[in-house]
Amino acid sequence: MTMNAEQANTSPAMDQALLARLTGGLGDRRTLEKLCQDFGHLYGEFLPDVFHSETNLSVEVSYLDYKSGLMTELIAGLGDNYVLADTSLRNWSPNFVMACGNGFIITLMENLLGALPEFIQEPIQRPLSRIELDLAVMVFERIANVLRSGVNASGGFEPIAERPHNWEDRPKPEADHVDEYAALIHMSIRLGKVVSDFALIIPQKALLKTAVTLPKSKNQPSRGRKDWAEQMAEQVRKANVMLEARIRLEQLTLATVARLQPGDVIPFLEKGDVSVDVSAHGKDLYSCEFGRAGDRYTVRVKSTYSSDNDILRHLMT
């Protein structure tokens, strides 16, 4: 008896893990553990040199562990205190992911803004601001370049990373997305008193073909790089900040407020120069005077509520 088309379509599909193992997309525990430890050794040796040569800051990097699983599940398991960057390296892997704990980016920003290390505490868990994401671009460039220096990717191509995004902003996979097995290489990074972590999520199809080697020379500055503090200053100068001005009005009873109608007038509290508080991101920055120039209303700064460094630090977070 011949099998008809309906019977063929109902034949059980091959197990995904078995298929991946047969096609070189899923490795055994011992092989994966050895490769992930090799990556940990690479980063422990060279990432601290990169940070010290470019920022004069000392970091310590240590390998923690690894996990094996489907790529989307490994990324989902990181949690919402991470920033991610989808990355490719020609002749090695077209799709691996770099992840860094938000705490490291926030702490690095504090250091680059001149905060004394002894006063920098463990940061609260929160998404990164836009300017902190700009700093994450620089961090991921260094992480990717260390990887490039240690893997057997021919051609000397540069890693290409998409703009970093907060974990909660990561788009969901398309409906027809085909998941693949990957390894999450988990490492810690200490800056001052703050210990955070970062990770590489690499498809096992690429990882299992990788030979990790330590570069022959250290402290090689990246081509065309600028001082990180200078780069951050450029980002700050380009950043747009939304300012809000609040004017104090005369006190009214609740009964009067409830009866206000379009066209009613509420007088300013002051009789002479009208005081205005200017704020950004919920923090008062300046005390100003209300005025007018031609047909435009204006405010003139009288005094500041904080030092220049405090204002800058607040606007960047």
Side-chain angles (χ1 to χ4, degrees):
M1 183 177 65
T2 59
M3 180 181 293
N4 59 34
E6 183 178 352
Q7 288 174 314
N9 288 336
T10 58
S11 297
M14 182 178 291
D15 177 76
Q16 183 179 9
L18 176 59
L19 178 61
R21 193 175 295 277
L22 291 174
T23 55
L26 179 60
D28 62 86
R29 183 191 63 79
R30 181 176 297 181
T31 301
L32 290 174
E33 188 171 39
K34 174 63 168 60
L35 284 166
C36 293
Q37 287 174 347
D38 289 344
F39 271 96
H41 188 198
L42 172 70
Y43 277 94
E45 286 287 322
F46 288 92
L47 193 59
D49 287 334
V50 171
F51 274 95
H52 190 267
S53 65
E54 299 196 11
T55 67
N56 204 33
L57 296 172
S58 296
V59 303
E60 299 175 12
V61 175
S62 301
Y63 171 75
L64 295 176
D65 54 26
Y66 85 96
K67 292 181 181 178
S68 175
L70 293 173
M71 195 162 192
T72 55
E73 294 177 358
L74 292 174
I75 293 171
L78 286 170
D80 59 2
N81 198 37
Y82 281 85
V83 58
L84 310 171
D86 292 290
T87 317
S88 64
L89 177 58
R90 188 171 176 180
N91 294 335
W92 186 67
S93 176
N95 60 321
F96 65 98
V97 177
M98 298 181 292
C100 185
N102 292 352
F104 177 72
I105 305 295
I106 296 169
T107 303
L108 180 60
M109 178 73 79
E110 289 283 312
N111 278 272
L112 293 176
L113 290 174
L116 295 175
E118 57 267 28
F119 294 117
I120 298 178
Q121 302 297 322
E122 189 76 30
I124 61 172
Q125 294 190 8
R126 61 170 176 80
L128 297 185
S129 68
R130 188 177 63 81
I131 297 180
E132 288 166 341
L133 289 173
D134 291 337
L135 178 58
V137 172
M138 301 183 218
V139 171
F140 282 134
E141 284 177 354
R142 277 64 185 178
I143 292 175
N145 284 332
V146 170
L147 179 144
R148 170 181 170 271
S149 71
V151 302
N152 53 323
S154 61
F157 296 101
E158 297 288 336
I160 300 175
E162 296 183 6
R163 178 167 175 79
H165 55 274
N166 287 303
W167 180 88
E168 54 265 50
D169 296 329
R170 186 171 183 80
K172 294 183 178 179
E174 299 291 339
D176 58 351
H177 172 73
V178 178
D179 214 347
E180 59 185 329
Y181 283 93
L184 185 150
I185 306 169
H186 189 200
M187 290 165 277
S188 69
I189 183 164
R190 174 188 290 272
L191 176 56
K193 296 185 294 185
V194 178
V195 179
S196 189
D197 58 357
F198 69 100
L200 302 171
I201 302 96
I202 303 171
Q204 292 189 31
K205 182 169 290 187
L207 183 64
L208 293 170
K209 299 177 182 178
T210 301
V212 180
T213 57
L214 299 184
K216 294 181 180 179
S217 59
K218 299 183 180 182
N219 295 319
Q220 292 183 347
S222 56
R223 289 172 290 182
R225 74 167 176 84
K226 295 181 180 179
D227 181 80
W228 285 39
E230 180 183 343
Q231 292 187 51
M232 290 313 304
E234 289 180 2
Q235 293 291 345
V236 172
R237 286 193 292 268
K238 295 175 182 177
N240 294 316
V241 178
M242 181 64 69
L243 299 178
E244 297 179 350
R246 300 191 314 279
I247 300 176
R248 287 174 287 276
L249 304 177
E250 274 193 358
Q251 292 185 355
L252 301 176
T253 65
L254 285 175
T256 302
V257 171
R259 292 195 300 269
L260 289 175
Q261 298 293 323
D264 289 345
V265 175
I266 304 175
F268 294 140
L269 180 63
E270 291 88 353
K271 300 297 184 183
D273 294 334
V274 178
S275 297
V276 180
D277 288 325
V278 173
S279 63
H281 298 181
K283 181 179 177 62
D284 288 337
L285 304 179
Y286 306 106
S287 175
C288 303
E289 294 176 346
F290 179 74
R292 189 166 184 169
D295 60 350
R296 302 186 67 182
Y297 292 103
T298 64
V299 294
R300 176 185 291 117
V301 176
K302 293 194 303 182
S303 61
T304 64
Y305 287 114
S306 306
S307 68
D308 293 351
N309 285 339
D310 287 340
I311 292 174
L312 181 62
R313 185 172 291 107
H314 171 73
L315 294 178
M316 294 180 73
T317 57

